[in-house]
Amino acid sequence: MPGLASELRNLIEGKISSRKLKKLIKWLQKRKLLKRNMKCSVCHHRMKIEDTSRGDKCQWICRRRANHKEIVRKSIRQWSIFSQSKMALFSWMKFLYRFAQGLRLRQVDMITDGIAGSTATLSKMSSLLRDVCVEAIERRRRKKGQRLGGRREFVVIDESHFRHKRKFGRGRMAGAWKRKNWVFGMLGVKRKGQRSRPVLRLVQRRTREELMPLIVHHVRRGTCVLSDEWRAYRQALTAFGYRHYTVNHSVEYVNADTGCHTQHIERAWRTYKDTITRLRGNRTEDLLRDHLLLIEWYEWLGKKHHNGPLGRLLHDVAKKYK
């Protein structure tokens, strides 16, 4: 049987026709991205889907003239993520498919491919999907928490700046350039080379008073914790029951005695910064926080879903707009 991604590609690729659009609408209804039932706002009876010659080629219609004078019509997009958009459903699903892959293509490429006509439209669509992912990871945090470590997982911790970069070093010194907040990262790594899980938080300062409560909240006691020799960690981690190993980066990248290194999170920082810089996600603190949560959603929820990030994204969109 074809997978979810193959099903969607078969629906959205190739020549567009009315018949193909109806198939896509039925597929979206099956996945609960479009409503399968709709009640009339006047008589409260069930409405029916009928063909039209405009827009999405069909709409909800109630013809009970005994209960109201005029025919009641509603868009097929009513109460969905597509309701406030004029973009074609094919374009929407092409964008959603690429977003689930990590939005690796540039906006100019999407405009060239005919997904949207402007970067403003793409930014609005990104914002809607980002809100879906942020709500999903925050819901997961409230219900199950985000706990790292244990016998089969060690945790690497570090701090980094995510400042806005001016193109060619020119332009005004925006607020993001002067930002003093740090991103504190805790990366859980499986011992047998399995996937890692990040917890990323904005902090005002890199003090022990700010960092230790986050570590205690997210990392299980007794876990092996790797870090550099930043003074905020010194003796504090062992006092809380963690096995702490360090590396002095001014001398070496790998501790010759213990084999400790922080390359896992250093590599992760590079990937996260490239992604956020490409999406211009560090212009404000709120936007940066949302993009950090989006990275967590991708690692904690997207990759864990049996249909991958695409399946999880469809699930979360349906849940938000149910």
Side-chain angles (χ1 to χ4, degrees), residues 76-110:
I76 195 72
R77 305 186 184 199
Q78 190 82 5
W79 312 117
S80 73
I81 192 173
F82 317 111
S83 60
Q84 300 299 320
S85 174
K86 295 181 180 179
M87 290 286 296
L89 291 176
F90 285 103
S91 298
W92 249 109
M93 296 313 295
K94 286 178 182 178
F95 178 79
L96 192 147
Y97 176 77
R98 297 190 186 189
F99 186 93
Q101 293 177 315
L103 199 64
R104 301 192 183 283
L105 292 182
R106 299 176 300 168
Q107 288 189 342
V108 65
D109 295 325
M110 296 190 188

PDB file of all heavy atoms in Angstrom, residues 76-110:
ATOM      1  N   ILE A  76     -16.707  25.309   1.193  1.00  0.00           N
ATOM      2  CA  ILE A  76     -16.230  23.984   1.591  1.00  0.00           C
ATOM      3  C   ILE A  76     -15.090  24.098   2.615  1.00  0.00           C
ATOM      4  O   ILE A  76     -14.788  23.163   3.349  1.00  0.00           O
ATOM      5  CB  ILE A  76     -15.761  23.191   0.338  1.00  0.00           C
ATOM      6  CG1 ILE A  76     -15.600  21.704   0.661  1.00  0.00           C
ATOM      7  CG2 ILE A  76     -14.461  23.751  -0.196  1.00  0.00           C
ATOM      8  CD1 ILE A  76     -16.884  20.987   0.847  1.00  0.00           C
ATOM      9  N   ARG A  77     -14.483  25.292   2.690  1.00  0.00           N
ATOM     10  CA  ARG A  77     -13.364  25.523   3.606  1.00  0.00           C
ATOM     11  C   ARG A  77     -13.799  26.002   4.991  1.00  0.00           C
ATOM     12  O   ARG A  77     -12.950  26.301   5.827  1.00  0.00           O
ATOM     13  CB  ARG A  77     -12.415  26.564   3.013  1.00  0.00           C
ATOM     14  CG  ARG A  77     -11.909  26.246   1.620  1.00  0.00           C
ATOM     15  CD  ARG A  77     -10.880  27.260   1.188  1.00  0.00           C
ATOM     16  NE  ARG A  77     -10.428  27.044  -0.182  1.00  0.00           N
ATOM     17  CZ  ARG A  77      -9.302  27.545  -0.681  1.00  0.00           C
ATOM     18  NH1 ARG A  77      -8.526  28.291   0.072  1.00  0.00           N
ATOM     19  NH2 ARG A  77      -8.950  27.307  -1.924  1.00  0.00           N
ATOM     20  N   GLN A  78     -15.099  26.100   5.214  1.00  0.00           N
ATOM     21  CA  GLN A  78     -15.605  26.639   6.484  1.00  0.00           C
ATOM     22  C   GLN A  78     -14.986  25.915   7.680  1.00  0.00           C
ATOM     23  O   GLN A  78     -14.918  24.691   7.725  1.00  0.00           O
ATOM     24  CB  GLN A  78     -17.127  26.483   6.524  1.00  0.00           C
ATOM     25  CG  GLN A  78     -17.804  27.207   7.667  1.00  0.00           C
ATOM     26  CD  GLN A  78     -18.016  28.681   7.360  1.00  0.00           C
ATOM     27  OE1 GLN A  78     -17.744  29.139   6.261  1.00  0.00           O
ATOM     28  NE2 GLN A  78     -18.498  29.421   8.340  1.00  0.00           N
ATOM     29  N   TRP A  79     -14.518  26.716   8.667  1.00  0.00           N
ATOM     30  CA  TRP A  79     -13.947  26.202   9.913  1.00  0.00           C
ATOM     31  C   TRP A  79     -12.703  25.330   9.685  1.00  0.00           C
ATOM     32  O   TRP A  79     -12.482  24.351  10.382  1.00  0.00           O
ATOM     33  CB  TRP A  79     -14.976  25.410  10.729  1.00  0.00           C
ATOM     34  CG  TRP A  79     -16.299  26.085  10.902  1.00  0.00           C
ATOM     35  CD1 TRP A  79     -17.503  25.643  10.444  1.00  0.00           C
ATOM     36  CD2 TRP A  79     -16.555  27.316  11.576  1.00  0.00           C
ATOM     37  NE1 TRP A  79     -18.495  26.521  10.787  1.00  0.00           N
ATOM     38  CE2 TRP A  79     -17.940  27.568  11.485  1.00  0.00           C
ATOM     39  CE3 TRP A  79     -15.755  28.247  12.237  1.00  0.00           C
ATOM     40  CZ2 TRP A  79     -18.544  28.699  12.035  1.00  0.00           C
ATOM     41  CZ3 TRP A  79     -16.353  29.372  12.781  1.00  0.00           C
ATOM     42  CH2 TRP A  79     -17.723  29.585  12.680  1.00  0.00           C
ATOM     43  N   SER A  80     -11.905  25.684   8.718  1.00  0.00           N
ATOM     44  CA  SER A  80     -10.663  24.951   8.464  1.00  0.00           C
ATOM     45  C   SER A  80      -9.493  25.924   8.388  1.00  0.00           C
ATOM     46  O   SER A  80      -9.682  27.150   8.400  1.00  0.00           O
ATOM     47  CB  SER A  80     -10.760  24.150   7.159  1.00  0.00           C
ATOM     48  OG  SER A  80     -10.693  25.013   6.038  1.00  0.00           O
ATOM     49  N   ILE A  81      -8.290  25.402   8.289  1.00  0.00           N
ATOM     50  CA  ILE A  81      -7.103  26.256   8.180  1.00  0.00           C
ATOM     51  C   ILE A  81      -7.101  27.033   6.869  1.00  0.00           C
ATOM     52  O   ILE A  81      -6.439  28.063   6.738  1.00  0.00           O
ATOM     53  CB  ILE A  81      -5.822  25.396   8.299  1.00  0.00           C
ATOM     54  CG1 ILE A  81      -4.590  26.292   8.492  1.00  0.00           C
ATOM     55  CG2 ILE A  81      -5.661  24.472   7.110  1.00  0.00           C
ATOM     56  CD1 ILE A  81      -3.322  25.524   8.781  1.00  0.00           C
ATOM     57  N   PHE A  82      -7.882  26.574   5.889  1.00  0.00           N
ATOM     58  CA  PHE A  82      -7.921  27.232   4.589  1.00  0.00           C
ATOM     59  C   PHE A  82      -8.981  28.324   4.507  1.00  0.00           C
ATOM     60  O   PHE A  82      -9.097  28.983   3.477  1.00  0.00           O
ATOM     61  CB  PHE A  82      -8.231  26.198   3.486  1.00  0.00           C
ATOM     62  CG  PHE A  82      -7.490  24.901   3.630  1.00  0.00           C
ATOM     63  CD1 PHE A  82      -8.166  23.729   3.960  1.00  0.00           C
ATOM     64  CD2 PHE A  82      -6.124  24.839   3.435  1.00  0.00           C
ATOM     65  CE1 PHE A  82      -7.501  22.527   4.076  1.00  0.00           C
ATOM     66  CE2 PHE A  82      -5.444  23.634   3.560  1.00  0.00           C
ATOM     67  CZ  PHE A  82      -6.133  22.484   3.881  1.00  0.00           C
ATOM     68  N   SER A  83      -9.757  28.531   5.574  1.00  0.00           N
ATOM     69  CA  SER A  83     -10.955  29.374   5.485  1.00  0.00           C
ATOM     70  C   SER A  83     -10.661  30.833   5.159  1.00  0.00           C
ATOM     71  O   SER A  83     -11.439  31.475   4.465  1.00  0.00           O
ATOM     72  CB  SER A  83     -11.759  29.285   6.786  1.00  0.00           C
ATOM     73  OG  SER A  83     -10.969  29.729   7.884  1.00  0.00           O
ATOM     74  N   GLN A  84      -9.549  31.376   5.653  1.00  0.00           N
ATOM     75  CA  GLN A  84      -9.243  32.791   5.429  1.00  0.00           C
ATOM     76  C   GLN A  84      -8.285  32.998   4.261  1.00  0.00           C
ATOM     77  O   GLN A  84      -7.722  34.075   4.105  1.00  0.00           O
ATOM     78  CB  GLN A  84      -8.621  33.383   6.700  1.00  0.00           C
ATOM     79  CG  GLN A  84      -9.500  33.307   7.927  1.00  0.00           C
ATOM     80  CD  GLN A  84     -10.796  34.074   7.758  1.00  0.00           C
ATOM     81  OE1 GLN A  84     -10.822  35.169   7.189  1.00  0.00           O
ATOM     82  NE2 GLN A  84     -11.895  33.507   8.246  1.00  0.00           N
ATOM     83  N   SER A  85      -8.108  31.982   3.443  1.00  0.00           N
ATOM     84  CA  SER A  85      -7.142  32.043   2.346  1.00  0.00           C
ATOM     85  C   SER A  85      -7.830  31.884   1.001  1.00  0.00           C
ATOM     86  O   SER A  85      -8.792  31.131   0.864  1.00  0.00           O
ATOM     87  CB  SER A  85      -6.079  30.954   2.522  1.00  0.00           C
ATOM     88  OG  SER A  85      -5.215  30.906   1.414  1.00  0.00           O
ATOM     89  N   LYS A  86      -7.301  32.587   0.005  1.00  0.00           N
ATOM     90  CA  LYS A  86      -7.799  32.462  -1.363  1.00  0.00           C
ATOM     91  C   LYS A  86      -6.918  31.544  -2.199  1.00  0.00           C
ATOM     92  O   LYS A  86      -7.186  31.334  -3.382  1.00  0.00           O
ATOM     93  CB  LYS A  86      -7.869  33.843  -2.022  1.00  0.00           C
ATOM     94  CG  LYS A  86      -8.877  34.784  -1.357  1.00  0.00           C
ATOM     95  CD  LYS A  86      -8.914  36.114  -2.069  1.00  0.00           C
ATOM     96  CE  LYS A  86      -9.921  37.052  -1.401  1.00  0.00           C
ATOM     97  NZ  LYS A  86      -9.957  38.386  -2.079  1.00  0.00           N
ATOM     98  N   MET A  87      -5.867  31.009  -1.585  1.00  0.00           N
ATOM     99  CA  MET A  87      -4.968  30.110  -2.296  1.00  0.00           C
ATOM    100  C   MET A  87      -5.696  28.822  -2.684  1.00  0.00           C
ATOM    101  O   MET A  87      -6.533  28.318  -1.927  1.00  0.00           O
ATOM    102  CB  MET A  87      -3.772  29.767  -1.421  1.00  0.00           C
ATOM    103  CG  MET A  87      -2.823  30.921  -1.200  1.00  0.00           C
ATOM    104  SD  MET A  87      -1.844  31.259  -2.671  1.00  0.00           S
ATOM    105  CE  MET A  87      -0.926  29.728  -2.778  1.00  0.00           C
ATOM    106  N   ALA A  88      -5.374  28.286  -3.841  1.00  0.00           N
ATOM    107  CA  ALA A  88      -5.957  27.022  -4.269  1.00  0.00           C
ATOM    108  C   ALA A  88      -5.550  25.903  -3.317  1.00  0.00           C
ATOM    109  O   ALA A  88      -4.453  25.926  -2.750  1.00  0.00           O
ATOM    110  CB  ALA A  88      -5.504  26.693  -5.689  1.00  0.00           C
ATOM    111  N   LEU A  89      -6.435  24.937  -3.143  1.00  0.00           N
ATOM    112  CA  LEU A  89      -6.139  23.821  -2.246  1.00  0.00           C
ATOM    113  C   LEU A  89      -4.906  23.043  -2.701  1.00  0.00           C
ATOM    114  O   LEU A  89      -4.140  22.530  -1.880  1.00  0.00           O
ATOM    115  CB  LEU A  89      -7.339  22.896  -2.142  1.00  0.00           C
ATOM    116  CG  LEU A  89      -8.565  23.456  -1.410  1.00  0.00           C
ATOM    117  CD1 LEU A  89      -9.720  22.462  -1.473  1.00  0.00           C
ATOM    118  CD2 LEU A  89      -8.228  23.792   0.033  1.00  0.00           C
ATOM    119  N   PHE A  90      -4.693  22.950  -4.009  1.00  0.00           N
ATOM    120  CA  PHE A  90      -3.505  22.271  -4.525  1.00  0.00           C
ATOM    121  C   PHE A  90      -2.237  22.985  -4.052  1.00  0.00           C
ATOM    122  O   PHE A  90      -1.277  22.348  -3.616  1.00  0.00           O
ATOM    123  CB  PHE A  90      -3.541  22.224  -6.059  1.00  0.00           C
ATOM    124  CG  PHE A  90      -4.494  21.220  -6.617  1.00  0.00           C
ATOM    125  CD1 PHE A  90      -5.717  21.610  -7.128  1.00  0.00           C
ATOM    126  CD2 PHE A  90      -4.178  19.861  -6.635  1.00  0.00           C
ATOM    127  CE1 PHE A  90      -6.603  20.687  -7.652  1.00  0.00           C
ATOM    128  CE2 PHE A  90      -5.058  18.930  -7.153  1.00  0.00           C
ATOM    129  CZ  PHE A  90      -6.273  19.339  -7.662  1.00  0.00           C
ATOM    130  N   SER A  91      -2.236  24.309  -4.143  1.00  0.00           N
ATOM    131  CA  SER A  91      -1.070  25.088  -3.707  1.00  0.00           C
ATOM    132  C   SER A  91      -0.857  24.951  -2.206  1.00  0.00           C
ATOM    133  O   SER A  91       0.281  24.832  -1.735  1.00  0.00           O
ATOM    134  CB  SER A  91      -1.257  26.562  -4.082  1.00  0.00           C
ATOM    135  OG  SER A  91      -1.357  26.719  -5.482  1.00  0.00           O
ATOM    136  N   TRP A  92      -1.959  24.963  -1.466  1.00  0.00           N
ATOM    137  CA  TRP A  92      -1.868  24.821  -0.012  1.00  0.00           C
ATOM    138  C   TRP A  92      -1.218  23.492   0.361  1.00  0.00           C
ATOM    139  O   TRP A  92      -0.327  23.430   1.218  1.00  0.00           O
ATOM    140  CB  TRP A  92      -3.260  24.910   0.608  1.00  0.00           C
ATOM    141  CG  TRP A  92      -3.492  26.136   1.416  1.00  0.00           C
ATOM    142  CD1 TRP A  92      -4.296  27.198   1.094  1.00  0.00           C
ATOM    143  CD2 TRP A  92      -2.924  26.445   2.694  1.00  0.00           C
ATOM    144  NE1 TRP A  92      -4.259  28.149   2.086  1.00  0.00           N
ATOM    145  CE2 TRP A  92      -3.431  27.706   3.081  1.00  0.00           C
ATOM    146  CE3 TRP A  92      -2.040  25.793   3.543  1.00  0.00           C
ATOM    147  CZ2 TRP A  92      -3.081  28.320   4.279  1.00  0.00           C
ATOM    148  CZ3 TRP A  92      -1.684  26.400   4.741  1.00  0.00           C
ATOM    149  CH2 TRP A  92      -2.205  27.641   5.094  1.00  0.00           C
ATOM    150  N   MET A  93      -1.638  22.421  -0.271  1.00  0.00           N
ATOM    151  CA  MET A  93      -1.122  21.109   0.088  1.00  0.00           C
ATOM    152  C   MET A  93       0.313  20.904  -0.389  1.00  0.00           C
ATOM    153  O   MET A  93       1.091  20.188   0.244  1.00  0.00           O
ATOM    154  CB  MET A  93      -2.035  20.008  -0.470  1.00  0.00           C
ATOM    155  CG  MET A  93      -3.439  20.021   0.127  1.00  0.00           C
ATOM    156  SD  MET A  93      -3.466  20.158   1.932  1.00  0.00           S
ATOM    157  CE  MET A  93      -2.683  18.629   2.419  1.00  0.00           C
ATOM    158  N   LYS A  94       0.688  21.542  -1.492  1.00  0.00           N
ATOM    159  CA  LYS A  94       2.088  21.499  -1.917  1.00  0.00           C
ATOM    160  C   LYS A  94       2.971  22.191  -0.875  1.00  0.00           C
ATOM    161  O   LYS A  94       4.057  21.707  -0.530  1.00  0.00           O
ATOM    162  CB  LYS A  94       2.252  22.179  -3.274  1.00  0.00           C
ATOM    163  CG  LYS A  94       1.717  21.377  -4.444  1.00  0.00           C
ATOM    164  CD  LYS A  94       1.891  22.150  -5.749  1.00  0.00           C
ATOM    165  CE  LYS A  94       1.312  21.363  -6.924  1.00  0.00           C
ATOM    166  NZ  LYS A  94       1.433  22.123  -8.194  1.00  0.00           N
ATOM    167  N   PHE A  95       2.479  23.336  -0.383  1.00  0.00           N
ATOM    168  CA  PHE A  95       3.243  24.059   0.628  1.00  0.00           C
ATOM    169  C   PHE A  95       3.306  23.264   1.927  1.00  0.00           C
ATOM    170  O   PHE A  95       4.365  23.167   2.568  1.00  0.00           O
ATOM    171  CB  PHE A  95       2.598  25.422   0.894  1.00  0.00           C
ATOM    172  CG  PHE A  95       3.298  26.217   1.955  1.00  0.00           C
ATOM    173  CD1 PHE A  95       4.463  26.903   1.668  1.00  0.00           C
ATOM    174  CD2 PHE A  95       2.807  26.270   3.251  1.00  0.00           C
ATOM    175  CE1 PHE A  95       5.123  27.630   2.648  1.00  0.00           C
ATOM    176  CE2 PHE A  95       3.457  26.986   4.230  1.00  0.00           C
ATOM    177  CZ  PHE A  95       4.615  27.665   3.924  1.00  0.00           C
ATOM    178  N   LEU A  96       2.200  22.680   2.346  1.00  0.00           N
ATOM    179  CA  LEU A  96       2.163  21.894   3.568  1.00  0.00           C
ATOM    180  C   LEU A  96       3.114  20.697   3.478  1.00  0.00           C
ATOM    181  O   LEU A  96       3.797  20.361   4.446  1.00  0.00           O
ATOM    182  CB  LEU A  96       0.724  21.439   3.834  1.00  0.00           C
ATOM    183  CG  LEU A  96       0.413  20.846   5.208  1.00  0.00           C
ATOM    184  CD1 LEU A  96      -1.012  21.204   5.623  1.00  0.00           C
ATOM    185  CD2 LEU A  96       0.561  19.330   5.199  1.00  0.00           C
ATOM    186  N   TYR A  97       3.165  20.081   2.299  1.00  0.00           N
ATOM    187  CA  TYR A  97       4.054  18.941   2.096  1.00  0.00           C
ATOM    188  C   TYR A  97       5.516  19.362   2.269  1.00  0.00           C
ATOM    189  O   TYR A  97       6.303  18.669   2.919  1.00  0.00           O
ATOM    190  CB  TYR A  97       3.824  18.371   0.697  1.00  0.00           C
ATOM    191  CG  TYR A  97       4.744  17.233   0.327  1.00  0.00           C
ATOM    192  CD1 TYR A  97       4.531  15.954   0.829  1.00  0.00           C
ATOM    193  CD2 TYR A  97       5.831  17.443  -0.516  1.00  0.00           C
ATOM    194  CE1 TYR A  97       5.369  14.902   0.495  1.00  0.00           C
ATOM    195  CE2 TYR A  97       6.674  16.397  -0.855  1.00  0.00           C
ATOM    196  CZ  TYR A  97       6.446  15.133  -0.347  1.00  0.00           C
ATOM    197  OH  TYR A  97       7.289  14.105  -0.666  1.00  0.00           O
ATOM    198  N   ARG A  98       5.883  20.509   1.718  1.00  0.00           N
ATOM    199  CA  ARG A  98       7.266  20.978   1.841  1.00  0.00           C
ATOM    200  C   ARG A  98       7.569  21.457   3.254  1.00  0.00           C
ATOM    201  O   ARG A  98       8.691  21.288   3.744  1.00  0.00           O
ATOM    202  CB  ARG A  98       7.522  22.091   0.830  1.00  0.00           C
ATOM    203  CG  ARG A  98       7.380  21.637  -0.611  1.00  0.00           C
ATOM    204  CD  ARG A  98       7.859  22.683  -1.582  1.00  0.00           C
ATOM    205  NE  ARG A  98       7.590  22.273  -2.960  1.00  0.00           N
ATOM    206  CZ  ARG A  98       8.065  22.921  -4.027  1.00  0.00           C
ATOM    207  NH1 ARG A  98       8.818  23.988  -3.870  1.00  0.00           N
ATOM    208  NH2 ARG A  98       7.787  22.497  -5.239  1.00  0.00           N
ATOM    209  N   PHE A  99       6.596  22.052   3.904  1.00  0.00           N
ATOM    210  CA  PHE A  99       6.778  22.504   5.285  1.00  0.00           C
ATOM    211  C   PHE A  99       7.083  21.319   6.190  1.00  0.00           C
ATOM    212  O   PHE A  99       7.928  21.399   7.081  1.00  0.00           O
ATOM    213  CB  PHE A  99       5.515  23.220   5.757  1.00  0.00           C
ATOM    214  CG  PHE A  99       5.636  23.860   7.115  1.00  0.00           C
ATOM    215  CD1 PHE A  99       6.010  25.186   7.237  1.00  0.00           C
ATOM    216  CD2 PHE A  99       5.380  23.134   8.272  1.00  0.00           C
ATOM    217  CE1 PHE A  99       6.130  25.778   8.482  1.00  0.00           C
ATOM    218  CE2 PHE A  99       5.498  23.708   9.520  1.00  0.00           C
ATOM    219  CZ  PHE A  99       5.872  25.042   9.625  1.00  0.00           C
ATOM    220  N   ALA A 100       6.398  20.202   5.964  1.00  0.00           N
ATOM    221  CA  ALA A 100       6.616  19.003   6.775  1.00  0.00           C
ATOM    222  C   ALA A 100       8.018  18.439   6.574  1.00  0.00           C
ATOM    223  O   ALA A 100       8.542  17.738   7.438  1.00  0.00           O
ATOM    224  CB  ALA A 100       5.572  17.945   6.435  1.00  0.00           C
ATOM    225  N   GLN A 101       8.645  18.740   5.443  1.00  0.00           N
ATOM    226  CA  GLN A 101       9.998  18.280   5.183  1.00  0.00           C
ATOM    227  C   GLN A 101      11.048  19.185   5.819  1.00  0.00           C
ATOM    228  O   GLN A 101      12.228  18.928   5.712  1.00  0.00           O
ATOM    229  CB  GLN A 101      10.255  18.210   3.676  1.00  0.00           C
ATOM    230  CG  GLN A 101       9.423  17.141   2.961  1.00  0.00           C
ATOM    231  CD  GLN A 101       9.644  17.154   1.470  1.00  0.00           C
ATOM    232  OE1 GLN A 101       9.657  18.217   0.855  1.00  0.00           O
ATOM    233  NE2 GLN A 101       9.834  15.994   0.884  1.00  0.00           N
ATOM    234  N   GLY A 102      10.600  20.248   6.482  1.00  0.00           N
ATOM    235  CA  GLY A 102      11.532  21.177   7.094  1.00  0.00           C
ATOM    236  C   GLY A 102      11.648  22.483   6.342  1.00  0.00           C
ATOM    237  O   GLY A 102      12.518  23.305   6.646  1.00  0.00           O
ATOM    238  N   LEU A 103      10.773  22.686   5.339  1.00  0.00           N
ATOM    239  CA  LEU A 103      10.773  23.910   4.537  1.00  0.00           C
ATOM    240  C   LEU A 103      12.174  24.175   3.979  1.00  0.00           C
ATOM    241  O   LEU A 103      12.744  25.243   4.129  1.00  0.00           O
ATOM    242  CB  LEU A 103      10.289  25.108   5.361  1.00  0.00           C
ATOM    243  CG  LEU A 103       9.810  26.341   4.585  1.00  0.00           C
ATOM    244  CD1 LEU A 103       8.582  26.008   3.766  1.00  0.00           C
ATOM    245  CD2 LEU A 103       9.499  27.487   5.511  1.00  0.00           C
ATOM    246  N   ARG A 104      12.749  23.165   3.348  1.00  0.00           N
ATOM    247  CA  ARG A 104      14.139  23.258   2.902  1.00  0.00           C
ATOM    248  C   ARG A 104      14.302  24.122   1.652  1.00  0.00           C
ATOM    249  O   ARG A 104      15.390  24.623   1.386  1.00  0.00           O
ATOM    250  CB  ARG A 104      14.701  21.858   2.659  1.00  0.00           C
ATOM    251  CG  ARG A 104      14.630  21.006   3.917  1.00  0.00           C
ATOM    252  CD  ARG A 104      15.422  19.738   3.787  1.00  0.00           C
ATOM    253  NE  ARG A 104      15.277  18.901   4.973  1.00  0.00           N
ATOM    254  CZ  ARG A 104      15.894  19.113   6.122  1.00  0.00           C
ATOM    255  NH1 ARG A 104      16.699  20.142   6.258  1.00  0.00           N
ATOM    256  NH2 ARG A 104      15.707  18.308   7.148  1.00  0.00           N
ATOM    257  N   LEU A 105      13.249  24.267   0.853  1.00  0.00           N
ATOM    258  CA  LEU A 105      13.350  25.086  -0.346  1.00  0.00           C
ATOM    259  C   LEU A 105      13.115  26.556  -0.020  1.00  0.00           C
ATOM    260  O   LEU A 105      12.332  26.899   0.854  1.00  0.00           O
ATOM    261  CB  LEU A 105      12.337  24.627  -1.389  1.00  0.00           C
ATOM    262  CG  LEU A 105      12.589  23.243  -1.997  1.00  0.00           C
ATOM    263  CD1 LEU A 105      11.529  22.947  -3.046  1.00  0.00           C
ATOM    264  CD2 LEU A 105      13.970  23.174  -2.632  1.00  0.00           C
ATOM    265  N   ARG A 106      13.781  27.419  -0.753  1.00  0.00           N
ATOM    266  CA  ARG A 106      13.640  28.849  -0.532  1.00  0.00           C
ATOM    267  C   ARG A 106      12.279  29.344  -1.029  1.00  0.00           C
ATOM    268  O   ARG A 106      11.656  28.732  -1.884  1.00  0.00           O
ATOM    269  CB  ARG A 106      14.755  29.603  -1.249  1.00  0.00           C
ATOM    270  CG  ARG A 106      16.156  29.245  -0.792  1.00  0.00           C
ATOM    271  CD  ARG A 106      17.174  29.978  -1.632  1.00  0.00           C
ATOM    272  NE  ARG A 106      17.020  29.620  -3.045  1.00  0.00           N
ATOM    273  CZ  ARG A 106      17.614  30.284  -4.042  1.00  0.00           C
ATOM    274  NH1 ARG A 106      18.356  31.334  -3.781  1.00  0.00           N
ATOM    275  NH2 ARG A 106      17.445  29.900  -5.291  1.00  0.00           N
ATOM    276  N   GLN A 107      11.858  30.501  -0.504  1.00  0.00           N
ATOM    277  CA  GLN A 107      10.573  31.061  -0.926  1.00  0.00           C
ATOM    278  C   GLN A 107      10.590  31.397  -2.415  1.00  0.00           C
ATOM    279  O   GLN A 107       9.581  31.237  -3.099  1.00  0.00           O
ATOM    280  CB  GLN A 107      10.251  32.301  -0.097  1.00  0.00           C
ATOM    281  CG  GLN A 107       9.863  31.999   1.343  1.00  0.00           C
ATOM    282  CD  GLN A 107       9.336  33.212   2.065  1.00  0.00           C
ATOM    283  OE1 GLN A 107       9.538  34.341   1.645  1.00  0.00           O
ATOM    284  NE2 GLN A 107       8.665  32.985   3.180  1.00  0.00           N
ATOM    285  N   VAL A 108      11.724  31.868  -2.919  1.00  0.00           N
ATOM    286  CA  VAL A 108      11.798  32.216  -4.342  1.00  0.00           C
ATOM    287  C   VAL A 108      11.580  30.977  -5.208  1.00  0.00           C
ATOM    288  O   VAL A 108      10.975  31.061  -6.289  1.00  0.00           O
ATOM    289  CB  VAL A 108      13.150  32.892  -4.670  1.00  0.00           C
ATOM    290  CG1 VAL A 108      14.322  31.937  -4.463  1.00  0.00           C
ATOM    291  CG2 VAL A 108      13.145  33.432  -6.095  1.00  0.00           C
ATOM    292  N   ASP A 109      12.019  29.800  -4.727  1.00  0.00           N
ATOM    293  CA  ASP A 109      11.789  28.566  -5.475  1.00  0.00           C
ATOM    294  C   ASP A 109      10.308  28.199  -5.490  1.00  0.00           C
ATOM    295  O   ASP A 109       9.795  27.689  -6.484  1.00  0.00           O
ATOM    296  CB  ASP A 109      12.600  27.417  -4.871  1.00  0.00           C
ATOM    297  CG  ASP A 109      14.094  27.630  -5.008  1.00  0.00           C
ATOM    298  OD1 ASP A 109      14.498  28.205  -6.041  1.00  0.00           O
ATOM    299  OD2 ASP A 109      14.844  27.254  -4.104  1.00  0.00           O
ATOM    300  N   MET A 110       9.623  28.457  -4.364  1.00  0.00           N
ATOM    301  CA  MET A 110       8.193  28.154  -4.299  1.00  0.00           C
ATOM    302  C   MET A 110       7.395  29.090  -5.201  1.00  0.00           C
ATOM    303  O   MET A 110       6.398  28.679  -5.786  1.00  0.00           O
ATOM    304  CB  MET A 110       7.708  28.255  -2.855  1.00  0.00           C
ATOM    305  CG  MET A 110       8.335  27.239  -1.931  1.00  0.00           C
ATOM    306  SD  MET A 110       7.536  27.202  -0.326  1.00  0.00           S
ATOM    307  CE  MET A 110       8.657  26.121   0.558  1.00  0.00           C
TER     308      MET A 110
END
